[in-house]
Amino acid sequence: MKLLVINGPNLNMLGIREPQHYGSRTYAQLCSMIEKHCEEKGIEVEIYQSNHEGDLVDKIQWAYENADGIVINPAAYTHTPVALLDALKAVSLPAAEVHISDVDSREDFRRISYVRQACIKTVSGHGFEGYLEAIDTVSDYLKQRTENTNK
Ligand code: DQA
């Protein structure tokens, strides 16, 4: 099983940006945590980050033939463009949305998520550990789907 973990704009600044919302751990530490978790679970993982919307769309499209599922933190692109939602719908892979901070308890505009409609789960406010929860959700979903098709 191969999962793609996608991170949107400014997440490369973790450890520097707004520690009151995102903590003091760095993006590199987030990647190591994800890689360790996936290795323990026998999941192949590719982690991608971009500050550019079109690059994120390209990467989601790339997943169509190269991954079984997606975990996405679209960051600020959660709340504005429709292109990431359309890309997730286009590839139709099981996807989970993750946010480090609790987006529902912040500014009103952060309550809107376009990608949510194309996701099987949203994990919000669980810090870096939320990524592991989202990975497990997509991985369990894929295992269950395989079991059902083999029945
Ligand atoms: C975020 C929440 C978004 O509202 C924000 O724009 C981000 C990060 C989070 O992980 O909590 O950049 O997605």
Side-chain angles (χ1 to χ4, degrees):
M1 177 191 311
K2 177 161 177 173
L3 299 187
L4 172 65
V5 176
I6 308 187
N7 287 301
N10 301 307
L11 290 169
N12 56 318
M13 298 286 282
L14 288 172
I16 298 166
R17 73 181 288 215
E18 304 179 272
Q20 71 279 19
H21 291 304
Y22 306 115
S24 56
R25 288 178 290 176
T26 63
Y27 183 68
Q29 286 174 303
L30 173 65
C31 294
S32 307
M33 182 190 272
I34 292 170
E35 278 158 4
K36 183 170 173 282
H37 182 77
C38 288
E39 200 183 323
E40 281 165 10
K41 297 252 164 172
I43 299 167
E44 197 185 334
V45 69
E46 172 154 342
I47 307 171
Y48 179 80
Q49 190 276 330
S50 176
N51 294 326
H52 306 282
E53 187 187 350
D55 289 344
L56 296 164
V57 170
D58 286 344
K59 197 65 186 178
I60 293 170
Q61 290 187 6
W62 170 91
Y64 179 66
E65 289 194 322
N66 295 288
D68 302 303
I70 296 174
V71 166
I72 183 164
N73 183 347
Y77 294 146
T78 308
H79 318 296
T80 49
V82 177
L84 295 184
L85 168 64
D86 282 350
L88 287 170
K89 283 186 167 175
V91 300
S92 194
L93 291 169
E97 173 190 17
V98 60
H99 300 285
I100 297 165
S101 65
D102 180 8
V103 280
D104 289 333
S105 66
R106 296 178 65 190
E107 302 94 322
D108 284 350
F109 69 84
R110 290 188 205 275
R111 296 201 180 145
I112 298 161
S113 165
Y114 287 97
V115 298
R116 196 157 301 172
Q117 299 187 30
C119 291
I120 54 175
K121 186 174 179 172
T122 296
V123 182
S124 175
H126 296 181
F128 281 16
E129 284 68 20
Y131 281 80
L132 312 185
E133 217 177 304
I135 285 167
D136 291 347
T137 299
V138 176
S139 147
D140 290 348
Y141 176 93
L142 287 164
K143 277 186 208 148
Q144 194 62 54
R145 198 176 64 179
T146 311
E147 271 174 40
N148 291 343
T149 13
N150 292 340
K151 265 183 195 160

